[in-house]
Amino acid sequence: MQKRIVVYRPLPEDLLAELKRDFHVEDFGHLDDLDDPAFRAALSEAHGLLGAGQKITAEILDAAPQLETISSVSVGVDAYPVEELTRRDIQLCHTPDVLTETTADTGFLLIMATARRAMELADLIRRGDWQASIGEAHYGSDVHGKTLGMVGMGRIGAAIARRGALGFGMRILYSNASPKPALEEELGARRRELDELLAEADFVCVTVPLSAETERLIGQRELGLMRDSAILINIARGKVVDETALIEALNAGRIRAAGLDVFEREPLPADSPLSHMANVVALPHIGSATHETRHAMARRAVDNLRLALSGERPISPFNDPARLPA
Ligand code: 8YV
């Protein structure tokens, strides 16, 4: 009997066809509502689930009694109840590595765009307001030679730090649960307590995964420690930063600008001040969104799922249900 897979995020045609050769696939394309009755019916018989972005709850797992594996088309796993999955002996897989460099590019895009006020000044041209050579009121600030403070120094954090140190001659500080001696050696990076990093950095770049420990890690107090000339970049998850406190800090000039690819609520509500503040560059969660990388992520998710459902070790498992303590 073929195992059954439910897909709730669009997959490239070639990968969908590949999955269909080995499995019974029910493809829901882009599914916004996981309460959809047809999805729930499919879940009741599913052995594998492939998707991303949607919150998977214990209640959804109850509706999927045969489920063996969830393969997420993402590196972040904050949408999944990881302990609950492990307790139920369900394998969770994700897509690290293949998106590291693209997401680091996005981080650097935000560093450059905020520092040099690229969107604000490009808008000036769009409005037809470039009437004379620009003056001090429109100057940005340098990126090269400045201090880049990485909040989190995982794969993506390291890739941004590498761009900063090797491409732009930046001094790198980082706060991370564990020291990174190899990166200290390679990039001259220095580990700091978060408070010290916030006080010293010209750019504070958040790359930590969202967890109970990191939710609202950057709040009013932390923003208050930053220099008034500093710029905050968030490419991790919106909830790592207290958005209300951020808006206040930006409005009060307590920090210079923010470059944001992620928000507390996504899509960002149109009436959010962040959507139109001059000192904010807001992107619609495009961290990994290139043709090449999204295909590579889907490829990895399909491979993970196929391996796990065939009883083999997936390429990038997130949890380890087999090693569950009794
Ligand atoms: C995607 C991401 O947007 O991988 C992640 O964790 O945040 C992004 O690459 C994600 O797949 C959400 O759909």
Side-chain angles (χ1 to χ4, degrees):
M1 189 202 68
Q2 276 188 329
K3 288 195 171 171
R4 303 178 78 91
I5 293 176
V6 173
V7 176
Y8 61 97
R9 178 183 170 112
L11 270 184
E13 279 305 319
D14 56 331
L15 298 180
L16 194 59
E18 195 181 302
L19 267 187
K20 284 180 176 167
R21 281 201 291 274
D22 296 330
F23 300 99
H24 179 280
V25 179
E26 285 191 72
D27 175 24
F28 288 85
H30 189 102
L31 187 67
D32 276 329
D33 178 14
L34 297 194
D35 288 331
D36 179 270
F39 175 73
R40 290 305 180 113
L43 265 190
S44 69
E45 296 187 291
H47 301 96
L49 195 56
L50 189 146
Q54 305 274 31
K55 192 98 192 147
I56 301 295
T57 59
E59 188 259 323
I60 290 177
L61 299 179
D62 288 342
Q66 321 250 49
L67 196 62
E68 297 171 21
T69 302
I70 299 182
S71 188
S72 187
V73 196
S74 69
V75 65
V77 293
D78 47 290
Y80 306 93
V82 180
E83 281 177 22
E84 184 64 26
L85 290 171
T86 309
R87 204 178 62 69
R88 294 178 190 227
D89 217 8
I90 296 171
Q91 174 81 71
L92 175 64
C93 307
H94 67 150
T95 63
D97 306 318
V98 292
L99 48 57
T100 301
E101 298 300 330
T102 297
T103 310
D105 286 350
T106 304
F108 230 87
L109 161 68
L110 286 171
I111 290 173
M112 296 297 293
T114 47
R116 300 301 302 271
R117 303 169 61 179
M119 313 306 286
E120 192 189 342
L121 297 178
D123 272 350
L124 186 117
I125 291 186
R126 278 177 203 263
R127 286 195 313 266
D129 283 347
W130 187 23
Q131 308 291 357
S133 48
I134 62 140
E136 215 174 326
H138 291 119
Y139 291 169
S141 46
D142 280 337
V143 173
H144 67 269
K146 293 291 181 71
T147 298
L148 175 58
M150 298 304 307
V151 180
M153 194 63 135
R155 303 175 187 86
I156 296 170
I160 295 175
R162 202 167 278 123
R163 282 161 175 70
L166 307 180
F168 289 78
M170 297 176 92
R171 173 175 169 249
I172 309 295
L173 304 178
Y174 72 100
S175 69
N176 198 61
S178 56
K180 297 283 179 178
L183 289 170
E184 294 188 11
E185 173 79 14
E186 180 193 349
L187 308 176
R190 293 288 167 259
R191 188 165 171 231
R192 293 277 192 273
E193 291 302 322
L194 178 61
D195 284 5
E196 293 169 348
L197 177 148
L198 293 169
E200 277 185 63
D202 297 301
F203 297 88
V204 172
C205 183
V206 179
T207 64
V208 284
L210 175 63
S211 67
E213 291 76 47
T214 62
E215 187 160 351
R216 307 221 161 176
L217 179 69
I218 307 295
Q220 189 184 28
R221 191 188 73 82
E222 290 72 24
L223 292 161
L225 293 173
M226 288 172 63
R227 300 171 172 204
D228 56 12
S229 58
I231 293 178
L232 181 80
I233 305 295
N234 186 7
I235 58 159
R237 287 292 184 264
K239 287 185 177 153
V240 177
V241 175
D242 178 341
E243 230 167 61
T244 308
L246 175 63
I247 293 166
E248 273 169 23
L250 287 163
N251 276 333
R254 284 198 295 276
I255 66 171
R256 160 92 52 86
L260 308 170
D261 188 44
V262 289
F263 303 89
E264 280 183 8
R265 263 184 66 196
E266 293 180 12
L268 180 67
D271 61 358
S272 166
L274 295 174
S275 65
H276 54 261
M277 289 166 75
N279 54 352
V280 171
V281 175
L283 296 175
H285 200 145
I286 64 160
S288 62
T290 64
H291 291 291
E292 300 90 332
T293 293
R294 282 294 168 87
H295 194 279
M297 290 166 71
R299 165 91 267 161
R300 174 66 63 87
V302 164
D303 289 345
N304 279 334
L305 188 59
R306 186 169 3 82
L307 288 165
L309 289 181
S310 313
E312 291 177 52
R313 189 175 170 76
I315 303 164
S316 29
F318 186 81
N319 64 346
D320 206 346
R323 278 197 231 145
L324 244 192

